[in-house]
Amino acid sequence: MKNIYLILSLILFSVSCFAQSRYVSQTTKKVVFARDGGICQCCGSYENLEYDHISPYSCGGNSDASNIQLLCRECNRSKSNSCYCKLHHKKVGINCCEGKTTTTKYNQSSSTASQCSGTTKKGARCKNRTKSSSGRCHHH
């Protein structure tokens, strides 16, 4: 009987943690793709599309279809944690922390560290944090 309660509690815990992640479900992806016409909402490109949080996840944005949009890789990387695509000088987001710095979930004290704006060799966004004025960590 204890094993059943343990298993049920683990399942409930994992579901609640999963629901608060930045993961975008397949259903949401299909809805957003159809709604956005399969094109980047900034530049109109059909290539290298990514699902972007309109209100950044790091600023409290959720992963509902109403907060997800299609952006090409270049526009999404340019937008980063802001509201603007720096390549095309267009507003592609809302409620972008309103100028506040973000903090990690492990260090909830106020911090001026932000996510590195560099990319890895595979083209993914660097996950390191930096206090450098350049916005890049020591690897970039």
Side-chain angles (χ1 to χ4, degrees), residues 7-127:
I7 291 170
L8 287 174
S9 63
L10 286 174
I11 290 171
L12 288 173
F13 178 73
S14 64
V15 168
S16 67
C17 289
F18 184 68
Q20 296 175 356
S21 73
R22 66 176 50 219
Y23 172 78
V24 179
S25 71
Q26 289 299 319
T27 304
T28 300
K29 287 180 180 181
K30 288 177 184 177
V31 168
V32 170
F33 193 87
R35 182 196 66 208
D36 291 353
I39 62 171
C40 174
Q41 297 302 292
C42 181
C43 70
S45 173
Y46 291 93
E47 298 180 11
N48 301 318
L49 296 175
E50 298 179 342
Y51 294 90
D52 171 62
H53 288 84
I54 297 168
S55 178
Y57 178 81
S58 60
C59 300
N62 59 32
S63 295
D64 294 339
S66 62
N67 190 46
I68 302 294
Q69 66 183 344
L70 282 176
L71 290 181
C72 68
R73 181 180 300 135
E74 292 78 19
C75 291
N76 197 12
R77 298 296 189 271
S78 171
K79 177 190 174 216
S80 183
N81 197 33
S82 71
C83 286
Y84 296 92
C85 171
K86 293 164 190 73
L87 294 174
H88 301 100
H89 307 290
K90 287 186 178 179
K91 185 172 182 175
V92 291
I94 58 170
N95 188 25
C96 299
C97 300
E98 299 168 4
K100 300 174 189 167
T101 58
T102 58
T103 59
T104 62
K105 63 182 177 180
Y106 305 109
N107 179 12
Q108 292 297 324
S109 63
S110 63
S111 171
T112 57
S114 60
Q115 185 175 358
C116 175
S117 60
T119 56
T120 64
K121 290 180 182 177
K122 293 183 179 179
R125 176 96 187 268
C126 178
K127 295 184 179 182

